[in-house]
Amino acid sequence: GVHDQWRSLVVRPDEGRVNIDETPNKRGPLKTWLWAFVATTFTVFALRLTRKAEELYAHVGQEFPGVVGCDRAKGSRQNKLT
């Protein structure tokens, strides 16, 4: 599926950096997060129900060999990829 295609692009040896950001959205009682994963040649948007690090890992993997850029929000600083 699309998720597998995305992961194959991110783990390419020439893709050394992915910038991420998430933005909240609330409609009535439902709060969602729009995640943006921006690489050199493509961007992926994902609408999710959480802002937790599991979303980052689900899209980039826990062993991404490159650099993950973020806005240094508290949650981003605490969740480091190894």
Side-chain angles (χ1 to χ4, degrees):
V2 173
H3 190 265
D4 294 332
Q5 291 173 355
W6 154 256
R7 288 287 298 266
S8 69
L9 289 170
V10 170
V11 297
R12 290 182 358 202
D14 61 333
E15 196 60 63
R17 181 178 184 90
V18 175
N19 294 303
I20 62 162
D21 198 11
E22 74 286 336
T23 301
N25 181 36
K26 188 170 183 183
R27 183 165 289 178
L30 180 63
K31 186 170 187 177
T32 59
W33 296 89
L34 177 62
W35 286 77
F37 300 88
V38 182
T40 305
T41 58
F42 59 91
T43 300
V44 172
F45 296 97
L47 190 60
R48 298 292 182 252
L49 296 174
T50 180
R51 184 184 186 189
K52 293 182 180 179
E54 288 81 19
E55 296 300 332
L56 169 64
Y57 299 142
H59 287 81
V60 179
Q62 290 190 356
E63 297 181 17
F64 174 63
V67 174
V68 175
C70 65
D71 61 4
R72 297 182 41 85
K74 182 179 179 183
S76 299
R77 288 193 313 260
Q78 292 174 349
N79 297 303
K80 298 176 184 168
L81 297 173
T82 56

